[in-house]
Amino acid sequence: MTSWRKAVSPLLLLVLLFAITVGVASAQVTSSSPGGETPGSDVAQAEGEEGERGSINFLTPDEPFAEELAPGEGAILFAFDGTQGDIVTVTATQTSEGFDPFMVLMGPAGQVIAYDDDSGEEIFSSAIKDVTLPINGSYVVLVSDFSSVDRPPSEDGLKGTRTFEVMVTGNKAPIGDPNYSEDSVILFHGNIEVGGVTDGYSSPEEPVYYYFLSATQGDVIDIQIDEADFDTLMILFDRAGVRTHINDDDSERGGLESAIRGVEISETGSYLLFVTAYRFYTAADADTSFTGGTFTLSVSQASK
């Protein structure tokens, strides 16, 4: 088994290269070390053809980013750069009726910095206000709704398209930091491919373990927590940063370990996977009881 430690291994980085596509800022998914060298064959493959890359939305300071969740979609990711000590505010404001945005702000190594449901200026809108960024790096914003943040969408979410705007203020790029690139968003992460097994952890300091999952078009895969000493949660995103699958407890085994089964891969490339704990966002609470633990993750071809 292979084990990656997010906080102590600077070579294990998920690099999301900026792209400007149809006037919208996004971040292309590839992988490399800070010096540009590829740490392994998996990474070299991910840096190959353009079709192997994905993209997530990138937030420019003080500029609202209009987005939507289509019927059946429960969450979507955004990213921005920040400098240690920046005091930032992130808002998610609904522009369609019936949507109650819920935001989680996460750090470069899976830290949960803050979360919010209804603190925005408009009723039901979200605002994470005046948060001090702890380190230089790239930050991830997950936008969902209160009923879907750690579970599949509600019946209402399955039916209608929900539109909203996200904006960040107060942040600036950490120019001069050796791990900063004007063209890159960097997250510490682990790698896994079909047939792989790896160990990881979730802790109060780093509740979310980011994985870079490589798969081939036509694969039908199972993603499973084989062992864990806590109540796990897995979240899989497509190559545009939209959540496609989420599981808390595997119904086939009847325990607290998670499994996402029968995932059909429509495009060769790498997909972002979160391994964390149920109600992971509460790790940001001052009086949190979040503990986390260790786990073993495997990815295999789905059994027929």
Side-chain angles (χ1 to χ4, degrees):
M1 293 186 292
T2 303
S3 177
W4 294 281
R5 306 293 291 181
K6 297 181 294 181
V8 299
S9 180
L11 292 181
L12 299 177
L13 300 173
L14 173 60
V15 179
L16 308 174
L17 299 180
F18 292 174
I20 305 300
T21 306
V22 198
V24 176
S26 64
Q28 287 191 341
V29 178
T30 181
S31 183
S32 74
S33 68
E37 299 177 359
T38 56
S41 59
D42 293 344
V43 174
Q45 181 181 11
E47 289 184 328
E49 300 178 5
E50 185 71 18
E52 293 177 346
R53 299 177 181 178
S55 62
I56 64 172
N57 296 327
F58 184 79
L59 299 174
T60 300
D62 304 311
E63 295 186 10
F65 195 118
E67 191 49 278
E68 67 179 33
L69 288 170
E73 295 176 349
I76 188 169
L77 298 177
F78 299 81
F80 67 87
D81 289 326
T83 298
Q84 183 179 18
D86 284 350
I87 300 174
V88 304
T89 293
V90 188
T91 58
T93 305
Q94 69 277 13
T95 53
S96 61
E97 293 185 4
F99 183 41
D100 182 5
F102 188 102
M103 283 194 304
V104 184
L105 173 61
M106 292 166 284
Q111 307 96 323
V112 175
I113 309 300
Y115 68 94
D116 185 70
D117 182 20
D118 294 328
S119 298
E121 293 185 2
E122 296 188 19
I123 187 170
F124 299 129
S125 65
S126 300
I128 295 172
K129 300 177 181 179
D130 298 329
V131 173
T132 301
L133 299 184
I135 60 174
N136 293 347
S138 302
Y139 289 79
V140 175
V141 179
L142 182 145
V143 176
S144 183
D145 63 75
F146 180 75
S147 63
S148 303
V149 63
D150 51 13
R151 68 201 70 166
S154 64
E155 288 299 317
D156 289 340
L158 291 171
K159 293 177 181 177
T161 296
R162 293 134 293 155
T163 61
F164 57 95
E165 290 184 345
V166 180
M167 186 169 69
V168 61
T169 61
N171 63 307
K172 57 184 179 294
I175 297 172
D177 188 289
N179 286 333
Y180 169 74
S181 168
E182 183 179 357
D183 299 323
S184 302
V185 173
I186 299 174
L187 302 175
F188 292 92
H189 79 295
N191 295 303
I192 193 166
E193 60 184 10
V194 180
V197 181
T198 184
D199 293 334
Y201 65 91
S202 174
S203 68
E205 296 76 23
E206 297 173 3
V208 181
Y209 204 123
Y210 302 127
Y211 278 98
F212 192 45
L213 190 162
S214 298
T216 302
Q217 182 179 7
D219 283 345
V220 181
I221 63 174
D222 290 340
I223 308 166
Q224 178 172 298
I225 300 297
D226 296 326
E227 296 180 69
D229 56 9
F230 65 104
D231 185 2
T232 60
L233 177 73
M234 285 199 299
I235 309 173
L236 181 65
F237 298 88
D238 71 12
R239 291 156 50 70
V242 177
R243 191 182 79 189
T244 58
H245 298 78
I246 184 169
N247 182 261
D248 175 22
D249 301 329
D250 180 16
S251 59
E252 288 191 13
R253 292 178 292 171
L256 298 179
E257 296 85 6
S258 308
I260 298 173
R261 302 188 186 279
V263 178
E264 298 180 3
I265 302 300
S266 60
E267 183 181 2
T268 296
S270 298
Y271 295 79
L272 189 57
L273 173 70
F274 290 2
V275 180
T276 184
Y278 181 66
R279 292 179 59 83
F280 66 97
Y281 50 88
T282 63
D285 292 338
D287 58 349
T288 184
S289 59
F290 185 97
T291 56
T294 60
F295 62 84
T296 299
L297 170 71
S298 66
V299 180
S300 61
Q301 294 286 354
S303 56
K304 298 181 180 180

